[in-house]
Amino acid sequence: MIVTANMIPPSAQQRNLYLLCLGEMSGKVPRLREALSKRDTPRVRELARDLRNTVGLLGLPKLFQLSQDIEYGRGEEDAELWRRDCDRFCDLLERVLYSLRQQMGNN
């Protein structure tokens, strides 16, 4: 579920969930980008693990799976594929974060 501005306003329970997830993602997504730019693999894996619960709460199974792939996945022999997964994960998280901000700003 990616939130869009065309959706009906969220219920109070959904709003609280969105705010919780927004708070988690606002701090961790930029740190994930920074860790990727520094090639800090342990930190990237840690942040992917931390963000897994958030994307799970939002009902985003593909992002959930991607976070697992990043944490437990590819070894050094597949570093380029792992890096692409990480970039894709960040791109998708940034889109979700944008959508959450839009939804919270519109209601």
Side-chain angles (χ1 to χ4, degrees), residues 52-53 55-56 60-69 89:
R52 183 175 313 121
N53 291 332
V55 297
L60 300 167
K62 289 182 180 180
L63 278 174
F64 188 92
Q65 181 61 53
L66 194 51
S67 71
Q68 285 184 319
D69 293 346
F89 186 58

Side-chain angles (χ1 to χ4, degrees), residues 2-4 94-104:
I2 293 184
V3 183
T4 65
E94 287 167 346
R95 290 175 62 189
V96 171
L97 187 55
Y98 175 81
S99 293
L100 286 172
R101 286 181 176 143
Q102 289 293 107
Q103 184 68 18
M104 294 297 92

Side-chain angles (χ1 to χ4, degrees), residues 24-37:
E24 282 293 307
M25 292 177 72
S26 292
K28 290 181 180 165
V29 173
R31 286 187 294 214
L32 181 60
R33 275 282 183 212
E34 182 180 345
L36 276 170
S37 71

